[in-house]
């Protein structure tokens, strides 16, 4: 990865395992490819920070010209701290607190690019905060485009743009939203947004969402709203090993085609990729603690017990996701022996699935495509320290985090005082 020797990193006392390693050059390349798909037309690639909030990554993407899609005051402050211009930040999320709204409306002096409201109730609350602060709030309406779940075709837990989801303003309420925004002296309705789902199976649901958004934009413009952009969201998938039909740039081109047909090319097109920018460019290194062999019903069973668990990478446990597991040093013989790779956490779902490794298993492995929704979803469950992170650019390590000392968690938890 990125020209560094992963096995050396894994053996290194300073980083050890479990450790995430990221390729900053490849992440920057992804951003450039996506930005190129705009062919100079007005647009914004707003990186969904929830996928990976590490400073070196957010800064690298900001340098390429990316903005940020944030979902909390914390992510908003992080994006600003990493050099993302306030104007290039959009803020999604179904329940933002007043404090968070105030930060959004005042960041950088004139507020972020847009607060993406997800309900009529929130629209009213943003107007109230605007009034309290004496500002006009730039808002966009995150729409629930009502795409059929079957069309979205991704795991139910990451499928958002259908009628039963808690996200977005329903199509039946959009007219009321436009009216409410137009009537308010503290709101400027400048866009429409949607996020149909993540790791989408194809471009079609994305294009369907885009068609709905441009239709609504035309309607709102007709009613005098100062619409400046349409945001077709994230959801571009990556290849976790089973193949993936499209590059992220093709989602952008599909949205631009919908835009052209709608005759709204003067609007800015926003996209909010998370996974597509970082997913394939991070790995999780783990060491093998021990093997366990058993004979069950006369058949041999093999487990490979590694020191990374579901607390480090929860995707397999939460979404039945499959990440390839490969040896860091290829052992003798063919990789044709099935090993069930599991972590040390006391949960049956702490299981990375079956992988073909050598008859003599490796001492260390890499869990691939762990750059998105890996570290950001990690926890200290079972009293485990968070994994360390190593950042690579130009073939060398340019930044790394330190592992918390073994007793840090003990001090933190035992130290909770009583009165
Ligand atoms: N925009 C909004 C409003 C979102 O909710 C999301 C992701 C994105 C953009 C970025 O989506 P992406 O391009 O990464 O698909 N933890 C799950 C994924 C959850 C996605 C949540 N929303 C996983 O590991 O698969």
């Amino acid at each position: 990865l990125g020209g560094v020797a992963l096995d050396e990193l894994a053996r290194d006392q300073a980083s050890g395992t479990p450790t995430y390693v990221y390729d900053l050059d490849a992440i920057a390349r992804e951003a450039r490819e996506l930005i190129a798909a705009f062919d100079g037309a007005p647009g914004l690639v707003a990186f969904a920070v929830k996928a990976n909030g590490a400073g070196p990554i957010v800064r690298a993407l900001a340098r390429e010209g990316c903005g940020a899609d944030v979902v909390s005051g914390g992510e908003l402050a992080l994006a600003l701290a990493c050099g993302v211009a306030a104007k290039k930040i959009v803020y999604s999320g179904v329940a933002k607190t007043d404090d968070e709204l105030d930060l959004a409306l005042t960041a950088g002096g004139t507020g972020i690019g847009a607060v993406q409201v997800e309900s009529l109730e929130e629209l009213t609350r943003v107007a109230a905060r605007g009034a309290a602060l004496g500002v006009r709030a730039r808002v966009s309406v995150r729409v629930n485009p009502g795409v059929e779940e079957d069309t979205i075709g991704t795991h139910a837990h990451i499928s958002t743009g259908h009628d039963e989801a808690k996200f977005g303003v329903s199509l039946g309420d959009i007219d009321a939203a436009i009216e409410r925004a137009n009537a308010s002296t503290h709101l400027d309705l400048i866009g429409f947004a949607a996020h149909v789902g993540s790791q989408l199976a194809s471009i079609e649901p994305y294009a369907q969402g885009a068609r709905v958004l441009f239709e609504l934009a035309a309607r709102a413009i007709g009613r005098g709203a100062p619409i400046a952009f349409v945001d077709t969201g994230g959801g571009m998938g990556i290849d976790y090993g089973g193949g993936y039909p499209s590059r992220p740039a093709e989602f952008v081109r599909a949205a631009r085609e919908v835009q052209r047909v709608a005759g709204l090319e003067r609007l800015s097109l926003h996209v909010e990729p998370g996974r597509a920018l970082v997913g394939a460019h991070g790995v999780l290194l783990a060491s093998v603690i021990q093997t366990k062999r058993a004979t069950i019903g006369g058949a041999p069973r093999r487990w490979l017990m590694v020191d990374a668990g579901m607390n480090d990478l929860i995707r397999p446990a939460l979404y039945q996701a499959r990440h390839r597991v490969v040896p860091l040093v290829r052992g003798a013989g063919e990789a044709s022996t099935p090993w069930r790779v599991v972590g040390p956490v006391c949960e049956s779902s702490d299981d990375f699935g079956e992988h073909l490794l050598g008859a003599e298993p490796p001492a260390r492995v890499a869990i691939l495509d762990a750059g998105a929704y890996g570290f950001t979803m990690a926890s200290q469950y079972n009293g485990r320290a968070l994994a360390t992170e190593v950042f690579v650019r130009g073939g060398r390590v340019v930044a790394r985090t330190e592992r918390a000392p073994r007793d840090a968690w003990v001090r933190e938890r035992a130290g909770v005082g009583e009165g």
Side-chain angles (χ1 to χ4, degrees):
L1 178 128
V4 294
L6 290 178
D7 197 51
E8 262 170 46
L9 273 183
R11 271 182 293 146
D12 180 355
Q13 280 312 302
S15 51
T17 52
T19 292
Y20 279 96
V21 186
Y22 307 104
D23 180 350
L24 296 172
D25 294 318
I27 291 169
R29 255 196 320 277
E30 292 285 359
R32 286 197 289 274
E33 186 180 329
L34 211 48
I35 290 169
F38 284 85
D39 293 317
L44 176 71
V45 174
F47 171 53
V49 171
K50 66 170 82 65
N52 195 321
I57 290 177
V58 182
R59 282 191 293 271
L61 290 171
R63 274 196 299 273
E64 295 301 329
C66 291
D69 165 52
V70 302
V71 292
S72 68
E75 283 190 2
L76 172 47
L78 174 81
L80 292 169
C82 290
V84 181
K87 280 276 158 337
K88 288 188 178 178
I89 299 176
V90 291
Y91 185 174
S92 313
V94 294
K96 310 172 189 82
T97 64
D98 283 357
D99 273 358
E100 290 175 316
L101 289 176
D102 289 357
L103 175 61
L105 296 182
T106 55
T110 50
I112 62 167
V115 175
Q116 321 232 73
V117 301
E118 303 217 13
S119 60
L120 292 173
E121 290 82 352
E122 189 184 12
L123 192 62
T124 303
R125 285 183 53 232
V126 176
R129 292 323 301 162
L133 297 167
V135 300
R136 277 181 88 92
R138 282 180 299 279
V139 295
S140 75
V141 171
R142 174 164 175 193
V143 178
N144 185 329
V147 178
E148 292 284 331
E149 272 202 87
D150 284 351
T151 311
I152 299 175
T154 188
H155 192 275
H157 291 184
I158 50 177
S159 181
T160 41
H162 57 83
D163 287 339
E164 298 306 316
K166 68 177 177 181
F167 301 99
V169 176
S170 305
L171 290 176
D173 296 325
I174 297 292
D175 284 334
I178 297 173
E179 267 167 44
R180 206 173 285 191
N182 278 349
S184 168
T185 48
H186 291 285
L187 296 174
D188 276 328
L189 174 58
I190 65 164
F192 285 96
H195 173 75
V196 175
S198 200
Q199 187 65 14
L200 295 171
S202 76
I203 292 179
E204 183 41 37
Y206 197 79
Q208 253 188 54
R211 281 191 284 275
V212 170
L213 292 175
F214 280 105
E215 234 176 79
L216 296 177
R219 192 192 302 175
I221 290 168
R223 301 203 186 147
I227 300 295
F229 73 84
V230 159
D231 181 336
T232 48
M236 305 80 171
I238 63 167
D239 183 1
Y240 282 101
Y244 192 77
S246 341
R247 291 290 301 156
E250 294 172 55
F251 286 77
V252 172
R253 288 196 202 96
R256 288 188 60 205
E257 178 54 20
V258 171
Q259 179 174 15
R260 193 189 60 76
V261 170
L264 290 172
E265 280 155 301
R266 68 171 181 81
L267 297 186
S268 178
L269 176 66
H270 292 189
V271 294
E272 302 172 352
R275 186 188 326 263
L277 291 174
V278 293
H281 309 301
V283 297
L284 175 56
L285 306 182
S287 299
V288 173
I289 298 173
Q290 63 163 70
T291 59
K292 173 175 176 179
R293 296 171 204 249
T295 308
I296 296 169
R301 284 284 195 91
R302 299 174 198 81
W303 287 272
L304 194 65
M305 297 171 158
V306 300
D307 66 357
M310 65 186 285
N311 70 300
D312 301 302
L313 179 64
I314 204 174
R315 301 195 67 261
L318 202 50
Y319 317 112
Q320 289 77 53
R322 183 173 170 88
H323 287 255
R324 287 169 287 184
V325 176
V326 299
L328 283 182
V329 177
R330 237 169 242 299
E334 248 180 276
S336 55
T337 311
W339 289 89
R340 190 107 204 163
V341 179
V342 297
V345 173
C346 296
E347 296 269 350
S348 306
S349 55
D350 185 28
D351 184 336
F352 295 104
E354 198 165 83
H355 299 269
L356 294 179
L357 300 162
E360 271 316 303
R364 284 166 295 278
V365 296
I367 304 172
L368 304 186
D369 307 308
Y373 307 108
F375 188 87
T376 52
M377 298 182 79
S379 76
Q380 300 182 83
Y381 185 41
N382 275 202
R384 291 166 49 77
L386 293 178
T388 53
E389 297 180 288
V390 171
F391 303 86
V392 175
R393 177 182 289 123
R396 58 184 198 90
V397 172
V398 293
R400 67 188 343 152
T401 62
E402 260 175 61
R403 197 175 303 280
R406 189 179 293 278
D407 64 348
W409 178 81
V410 178
R411 274 190 280 116
E412 183 189 313
R413 300 307 295 155
V416 175
E418 302 168 46

